[in-house]
Amino acid sequence: MWRLLILSALSGLILADQPQSSTLSGQLFGALIDPRLAANALRIVGLERKLTSLKAKLHEAEKIDPHGFIDEIEARVSAVEGTHCDDGTFQCGGNEQECVSDLFVCDGHKDCHNGHDEDKDVCDPAPVKAGNVFSGTSHWKDCRIHEDHVTHITITGTKRRKFFQSRIWVKAHVESNFKEDGDETHGFDAKGYFNFAQRRLVLVPIEDDDHHLGVVCDFNHGDNERADCHRVLEVTRHICADLFVTLEHHEPHEHK
Amino acid sequence: MKILLVLLAVVGVALAKECDSLTRLKVKAQWRRAYSHGHDREDFAQAIWRAIFAQAPSARDLFKRVHGEDTTSPQFEAHALRVLAGFDIAISTLDQPEAFKAELEHLQHQHEGRKIPDNYFEAFKTALLHVLPAQLKRCWDRAAWDSCFDLIADGIKGHH
C-alpha cells in the first residue's frame, strides 16, 4: 500500500518535472499535479527511509533487554551471596527467609509460607522442553586431553510424574565435535533429571561403555536460555570441563 | 516388529535383577545415603507419603488414626518416620538372613488384618522408586531396588 502510494507520487513527480513533455498525457499530468504534492511525495520517501532505519534500531534494542540484564545481575549477585539454606533445600525468598526441602518445590503443595515454592516462574519447565538444543564450547581442564570444542545438548524426551512433580525426568543426546581417530563427532545418550529448586539439569550417560562423562547444567543466568555446565565424574562429581551453553533458536532471528 | 519384541524381551531379562547378596549390599549402601538424618529425613518421608497418596487417594482412609488427611500434621509426620524406621531395619538386615526374616515376620504381623490391597504396596514402591533417585541425586540402581523392595514387600504381605 505504502509503496503503491509512493510510486504513484513519484511517477507524478517525474512527469511534473517535465513540463515540456511532448505527449498529451505528459502535459495533462504536468498541469494536474501540484508541486506541493510532489514535495509531499519526497517527504514520504524520506519517512520510509527513516522507518527502515528505525526497524533496524528496534532489532538492536531487542538485543539489549534491560529487564533481562537486571535479572542476570540479580541471579549472579544472589549466587555470590549464597542462599543461607543448606544443600538440597530451597530458599523461599521475599521478606521471609525460609528453607524448604527441594523434594517439595513445585509438587503442587505450598510449603513456603509465601507460596514461593509453587510460583509460576520457579516452576517453569521451559529449560528442559523436549527439542531444546543447547550449544557451547567445552573447555577441558582435567580428566581428558581435548582441544576446546563445541558441544550440543539436545533434550530428546521428558517425563513428569503426576504423583511426584518436583522433578522432570529427562532424556538427552550429548554431542561433541572434535577430531579423534578420524571421527569428528562423538555423541552419547544420557538420562537424568531437572531440579526446579536448584534450576539444575543433571545428565548421566546411559549404558556407559565408552566412558563418557556426565553433564551438570545450572540455569543460573536469570533466564531459561543460558546455563553454566560442567562435565563431571559421576561418582565424585569432580569437574573435568567447563561449558557455557545457550539455547539455539528454532527460527532464524533475522527478519525477512 | 518381531525383532523388536525379541529385543525387548532380551533387554527385559537383562534388566530383571535378583536381590542377591551383592545387590543387597548395594541397596543397603544407597539407603544409608538416602535415609540421611534430621530434617532431611522428615522431608524424605513426607515426599514418599505425598507420592503414595497422590497415586492412591483412597489409601488415606487406612491412616485416619494417624491423621492421614494432612500429611504435614505432627501425628502423621511421626507415623511416616515410624514407617521408615521399620523399613530401615528391614534394609539394614538384608545381609543377615535370620534377623531379616524376624523383622519381616514382625512387620507382617503388624499389617495383618488391615486388608491392605496389593496395589497400595505397588504405590509405595512407585513412590519410593521416584523419591529415592531425587534424594540420592546420582549413583543409584533402579533394578537393584526393584528386586529387593519386592522381597521386603512380599515378606510383609505374606504372599507374592
Side-chain angles (χ1 to χ4, degrees), chain B residues 88-130:
Chain B
D88 179 50
I89 297 174
I91 300 257
S92 306
T93 54
L94 268 172
D95 55 347
Q96 303 160 50
E98 278 168 42
F100 183 58
K101 197 164 158 268
E103 170 65 8
L104 287 190
E105 272 165 14
H106 170 68
L107 289 176
Q108 188 196 345
H109 178 68
Q110 281 189 327
H111 288 81
E112 244 169 11
R114 291 187 192 274
K115 294 198 193 93
I116 304 169
D118 283 1
N119 70 316
Y120 289 1
F121 282 97
E122 275 307 307
F124 194 124
K125 180 179 173 180
T126 309
L128 191 68
L129 293 193
H130 281 85

Side-chain angles (χ1 to χ4, degrees), chain B:
Chain B
M1 191 60 202
K2 258 185 193 162
I3 294 172
L4 193 72
L5 279 179
V6 169
L7 207 73
L8 279 177
V10 169
V11 169
V13 169
L15 285 179
K17 209 171 195 170
E18 228 183 289
C19 189
D20 57 24
S21 49
L22 275 182
T23 311
R24 288 177 191 214
L25 288 180
K26 190 186 238 179
V27 165
K28 213 175 141 170
Q30 292 184 352
W31 172 254
R32 203 85 338 257
R33 265 170 59 219
Y35 191 41
S36 66
H37 45 76
H39 268 305
D40 287 349
R41 182 176 295 177
E42 283 172 35
D43 296 338
F44 177 54
Q46 176 74 217
I48 291 174
W49 282 98
R50 281 185 194 177
I52 293 170
F53 289 146
Q55 293 172 79
S58 54
R60 279 186 202 267
D61 297 344
L62 285 175
F63 299 94
K64 271 194 185 126
R65 201 172 53 86
V66 289
H67 295 253
E69 68 281 353
D70 176 15
T71 54
T72 57
S73 67
Q75 289 88 344
F76 194 83
E77 283 273 3
H79 175 261
L81 287 176
R82 268 202 303 280
V83 170
L84 282 199
F87 199 68
D88 179 50
I89 297 174
I91 300 257
S92 306
T93 54
L94 268 172
D95 55 347
Q96 303 160 50
E98 278 168 42
F100 183 58
K101 197 164 158 268
E103 170 65 8
L104 287 190
E105 272 165 14
H106 170 68
L107 289 176
Q108 188 196 345
H109 178 68
Q110 281 189 327
H111 288 81
E112 244 169 11
R114 291 187 192 274
K115 294 198 193 93
I116 304 169
D118 283 1
N119 70 316
Y120 289 1
F121 282 97
E122 275 307 307
F124 194 124
K125 180 179 173 180
T126 309
L128 191 68
L129 293 193
H130 281 85
V131 180
L132 266 174
Q135 174 89 342
L136 287 169
K137 296 184 171 78
R138 70 212 150 89
C139 297
W140 98 290
D141 186 342
R142 190 183 191 283
W145 275 93
D146 192 43
S147 59
C148 290
F149 181 89
D150 285 347
L151 198 72
I152 294 168
D154 289 348
I156 297 171
K157 285 187 281 188
H159 64 90
H160 184 70

